[in-house]
Amino acid sequence: MPQVTLPDGSKRDYKDPVTVAQIAQSIGAGLAKAALAGRVDGELVDTSYLVGSDADIAIVTERDDDGIEILRHSCAHLMAQAVQRLFPKAQVTIGPVIEDGFFYDFAFERTFTPEDLAAIERTMGVIVKENLDVERSVLARKEAIALFKEMGEDYKVEIIESIPGEEDLSFYRQGEFIDLCRGPHVPNTGKFKAFKLTNVAGAYWRGDSEKEMLQRVYGTAWASKKDLELYLERLEEAEKRDHRKLGKQLGLFHFQEEAPGMAFWHPKGWKIYQIVRDYMQKVQNENKYQEISTPQLVDFTLWEKSGHASKFSEEMFSVESDNRTYALKPMNCPCHIQVFNQGLKSYRDLPLRMAEFGSCHRYEPSGSMHGLMRVRSFVQDDGHIFCTEEQIQSEVADFMELLLAIYRDFGFDEVILRLSTRPEKRVGSDELWDKAEQALKDALIAKGLPWELVPGEGAFYGPKIEYSLKDCMGRIQQCGTIQVDFVLPERLGAQYIAEDSSRKTPVMLHRAILGSFERFIGVLIEHYSGAMPTWLAPEQVIILNITDKQSEYCLNLQETLKNKGFRVAIDLRNEKIGFKIREHTLQKVPYLLIVGDKEVESGSVAVRKRNGEDLGAQKIDDLCTRLAQDVANFGRSDNNQNS
């Protein structure tokens, strides 16, 4: 006679074992109708799950995050079923949930067209109306292999054969469609209210470029049509903000096949890059970082000593020369220790803060590269702090304060903090890990900011804090990090003379704020939709004449503003002023200065902002004051007047 405890603390007794669906029905018909799954003693289960003993029970609906995820995963199966109804020769592979949606990879003889996607979506709607029961079953491995071989599903056979162990496997069937899956799933296909297939792309089988190319069909599912519409609006907005499109439109950068994953920076884009770099350089110098530079080509033996070769070799580029193998550095850490190791260091020298804007190279599969967001050649705002165990907390606290101030300058007020603690496989004593984790916790608590604990996700060499930005569209962008490392300094022989004259190994804090310049600039472009705040804009001001008579005045004005330190362009073309205003507005120049006969006579200028706001006629000195204030505000939302 099971007794179940509900989330509100109330208890219900049942004479016989009951399913989650029956429990929901006993609570209310509305809840039974809304039930997508259940949570029994913390574990997600199907509504058909039989509860035979006392348990804590929660009914999962579309109002829960878990419910939405189950809905999306089940919708992936719905899509796969529709594909195989329309294209019986298509083989299904894997279909996981991703952020805001799902995908399924298919092997098929031709590329799916937009018309195919529309037909698949219509067929999904037909299956929803059929209201098919979704049933879980368990098969022995041999039975499962035999079943999928009979169905001609070669990829499923390969997946099953690669699963370690000999335990039975769970499957979900709806109508004629069956697939390997842990579940849980919605109880029937009638549960889907709002879904949309969004696009199709190529994807290598198991992410291996040496294997065959499959087709990845993406989709999304939501609890209501309203939620779906809002999401599609966000998608449309995201497409408008795509940094790759804006990069081309604004003449910032481009990519081409001759240098895959490596940006060609154009003058305007490189100017933004330089502004970001100069800003970071200034801030780090003010915070007592010593800037260094280390080689890009380093003998492979150093990467073997550091341990990177065994864990990272597939992502490293290497070259042969003089009967030696060199690696293009994928990161700066081992090289920074080489600088630390030059000369004897004392405890009085610690903490020692090193920074480098170091060019790094990593092999990214062609399918994973994405504009500036994921490249093969990038520059990290990399820094390493060599310190004692006792200095960890204060250094982390100081770093955090610096990082948050920098993010505010770039216009990001909402930062998500996550503390990742010791993984199962790690090096170093528990005592050392205790100290490091406590130091990071204390630093977080001292800041008084909310943070999430992520158990077991630390690096093998130490715990870490990750800092993620939330952009204007609510997307999470992981950028900054600080990691505690007990291992690398020891491996590479870093030592200092302690107060008692003994030799000790320093703790190494790996820290980054922007992550990489390339990716961060991509984030900035999308966050601002290319309309950079005045301090970041490659051209802050554009001067436009109405007729040739104002040319000399415009040239003198340009020189005046340049001498004041502003980035000024000029357009003296014999074009209508309305045409020039539209063109430079589209180029997202913050300030447009228009000069006609009246402005020349009065020694002023007509000022417009790129958002269309007309600021009227202003004296040159007043304009310079306004521009200087705008630049000084950086991108801070509380006082940023430029849009």
Side-chain angles (χ1 to χ4, degrees), residues 595-607:
V595 178
D597 290 340
K598 187 169 64 174
E599 285 74 29
V600 173
E601 289 171 14
S602 62
S604 64
V605 63
V607 184

PDB file of all heavy atoms in Angstrom, residues 595-607:
ATOM      1  N   VAL A 595      26.352  69.826 -42.578  1.00  0.00           N
ATOM      2  CA  VAL A 595      26.812  71.206 -42.731  1.00  0.00           C
ATOM      3  C   VAL A 595      26.228  71.812 -44.004  1.00  0.00           C
ATOM      4  O   VAL A 595      26.441  71.306 -45.110  1.00  0.00           O
ATOM      5  CB  VAL A 595      28.348  71.272 -42.775  1.00  0.00           C
ATOM      6  CG1 VAL A 595      28.810  72.714 -42.977  1.00  0.00           C
ATOM      7  CG2 VAL A 595      28.952  70.694 -41.490  1.00  0.00           C
ATOM      8  N   GLY A 596      25.485  72.918 -43.824  1.00  0.00           N
ATOM      9  CA  GLY A 596      24.992  73.730 -44.936  1.00  0.00           C
ATOM     10  C   GLY A 596      25.479  75.159 -44.787  1.00  0.00           C
ATOM     11  O   GLY A 596      26.297  75.470 -43.903  1.00  0.00           O
ATOM     12  N   ASP A 597      24.971  76.060 -45.607  1.00  0.00           N
ATOM     13  CA  ASP A 597      25.400  77.460 -45.550  1.00  0.00           C
ATOM     14  C   ASP A 597      25.124  78.076 -44.186  1.00  0.00           C
ATOM     15  O   ASP A 597      25.952  78.830 -43.653  1.00  0.00           O
ATOM     16  CB  ASP A 597      24.681  78.276 -46.638  1.00  0.00           C
ATOM     17  CG  ASP A 597      25.162  77.908 -48.043  1.00  0.00           C
ATOM     18  OD1 ASP A 597      26.265  77.327 -48.165  1.00  0.00           O
ATOM     19  OD2 ASP A 597      24.426  78.205 -49.014  1.00  0.00           O
ATOM     20  N   LYS A 598      23.970  77.762 -43.588  1.00  0.00           N
ATOM     21  CA  LYS A 598      23.585  78.322 -42.299  1.00  0.00           C
ATOM     22  C   LYS A 598      24.592  77.944 -41.215  1.00  0.00           C
ATOM     23  O   LYS A 598      24.975  78.766 -40.375  1.00  0.00           O
ATOM     24  CB  LYS A 598      22.178  77.838 -41.931  1.00  0.00           C
ATOM     25  CG  LYS A 598      21.602  78.476 -40.685  1.00  0.00           C
ATOM     26  CD  LYS A 598      20.126  78.161 -40.510  1.00  0.00           C
ATOM     27  CE  LYS A 598      19.886  76.699 -40.304  1.00  0.00           C
ATOM     28  NZ  LYS A 598      18.443  76.383 -39.986  1.00  0.00           N
ATOM     29  N   GLU A 599      25.054  76.665 -41.243  1.00  0.00           N
ATOM     30  CA  GLU A 599      26.011  76.185 -40.227  1.00  0.00           C
ATOM     31  C   GLU A 599      27.365  76.858 -40.408  1.00  0.00           C
ATOM     32  O   GLU A 599      28.038  77.201 -39.421  1.00  0.00           O
ATOM     33  CB  GLU A 599      26.155  74.662 -40.300  1.00  0.00           C
ATOM     34  CG  GLU A 599      24.988  73.865 -39.724  1.00  0.00           C
ATOM     35  CD  GLU A 599      23.752  73.884 -40.599  1.00  0.00           C
ATOM     36  OE1 GLU A 599      23.909  74.016 -41.844  1.00  0.00           O
ATOM     37  OE2 GLU A 599      22.636  73.786 -40.065  1.00  0.00           O
ATOM     38  N   VAL A 600      27.752  77.058 -41.673  1.00  0.00           N
ATOM     39  CA  VAL A 600      29.031  77.728 -41.945  1.00  0.00           C
ATOM     40  C   VAL A 600      28.998  79.153 -41.399  1.00  0.00           C
ATOM     41  O   VAL A 600      29.935  79.624 -40.747  1.00  0.00           O
ATOM     42  CB  VAL A 600      29.343  77.724 -43.455  1.00  0.00           C
ATOM     43  CG1 VAL A 600      30.595  78.567 -43.737  1.00  0.00           C
ATOM     44  CG2 VAL A 600      29.548  76.297 -43.958  1.00  0.00           C
ATOM     45  N   GLU A 601      27.894  79.863 -41.644  1.00  0.00           N
ATOM     46  CA  GLU A 601      27.756  81.246 -41.198  1.00  0.00           C
ATOM     47  C   GLU A 601      27.787  81.362 -39.678  1.00  0.00           C
ATOM     48  O   GLU A 601      28.370  82.289 -39.118  1.00  0.00           O
ATOM     49  CB  GLU A 601      26.449  81.845 -41.731  1.00  0.00           C
ATOM     50  CG  GLU A 601      26.449  82.107 -43.227  1.00  0.00           C
ATOM     51  CD  GLU A 601      25.073  82.480 -43.747  1.00  0.00           C
ATOM     52  OE1 GLU A 601      24.197  82.789 -42.908  1.00  0.00           O
ATOM     53  OE2 GLU A 601      24.869  82.448 -44.985  1.00  0.00           O
ATOM     54  N   SER A 602      27.146  80.427 -38.995  1.00  0.00           N
ATOM     55  CA  SER A 602      27.045  80.499 -37.534  1.00  0.00           C
ATOM     56  C   SER A 602      28.172  79.769 -36.813  1.00  0.00           C
ATOM     57  O   SER A 602      28.239  79.797 -35.572  1.00  0.00           O
ATOM     58  CB  SER A 602      25.690  79.938 -37.085  1.00  0.00           C
ATOM     59  OG  SER A 602      25.584  78.558 -37.446  1.00  0.00           O
ATOM     60  N   GLY A 603      29.046  79.111 -37.573  1.00  0.00           N
ATOM     61  CA  GLY A 603      30.137  78.356 -36.937  1.00  0.00           C
ATOM     62  C   GLY A 603      29.642  77.194 -36.114  1.00  0.00           C
ATOM     63  O   GLY A 603      30.185  76.876 -35.044  1.00  0.00           O
ATOM     64  N   SER A 604      28.601  76.542 -36.597  1.00  0.00           N
ATOM     65  CA  SER A 604      27.992  75.427 -35.869  1.00  0.00           C
ATOM     66  C   SER A 604      27.876  74.216 -36.779  1.00  0.00           C
ATOM     67  O   SER A 604      28.455  74.175 -37.867  1.00  0.00           O
ATOM     68  CB  SER A 604      26.618  75.835 -35.337  1.00  0.00           C
ATOM     69  OG  SER A 604      25.738  76.117 -36.427  1.00  0.00           O
ATOM     70  N   VAL A 605      27.114  73.229 -36.335  1.00  0.00           N
ATOM     71  CA  VAL A 605      26.874  72.020 -37.112  1.00  0.00           C
ATOM     72  C   VAL A 605      25.526  71.431 -36.686  1.00  0.00           C
ATOM     73  O   VAL A 605      25.143  71.529 -35.504  1.00  0.00           O
ATOM     74  CB  VAL A 605      28.019  71.007 -36.903  1.00  0.00           C
ATOM     75  CG1 VAL A 605      28.089  70.556 -35.455  1.00  0.00           C
ATOM     76  CG2 VAL A 605      27.906  69.823 -37.834  1.00  0.00           C
ATOM     77  N   ALA A 606      24.784  70.877 -37.646  1.00  0.00           N
ATOM     78  CA  ALA A 606      23.533  70.188 -37.337  1.00  0.00           C
ATOM     79  C   ALA A 606      23.843  68.743 -36.988  1.00  0.00           C
ATOM     80  O   ALA A 606      24.508  68.046 -37.750  1.00  0.00           O
ATOM     81  CB  ALA A 606      22.569  70.263 -38.517  1.00  0.00           C
ATOM     82  N   VAL A 607      23.365  68.298 -35.814  1.00  0.00           N
ATOM     83  CA  VAL A 607      23.753  66.983 -35.290  1.00  0.00           C
ATOM     84  C   VAL A 607      22.566  66.024 -35.307  1.00  0.00           C
ATOM     85  O   VAL A 607      21.485  66.350 -34.802  1.00  0.00           O
ATOM     86  CB  VAL A 607      24.292  67.111 -33.846  1.00  0.00           C
ATOM     87  CG1 VAL A 607      24.784  65.764 -33.349  1.00  0.00           C
ATOM     88  CG2 VAL A 607      25.410  68.145 -33.781  1.00  0.00           C
TER      89      VAL A 607
END
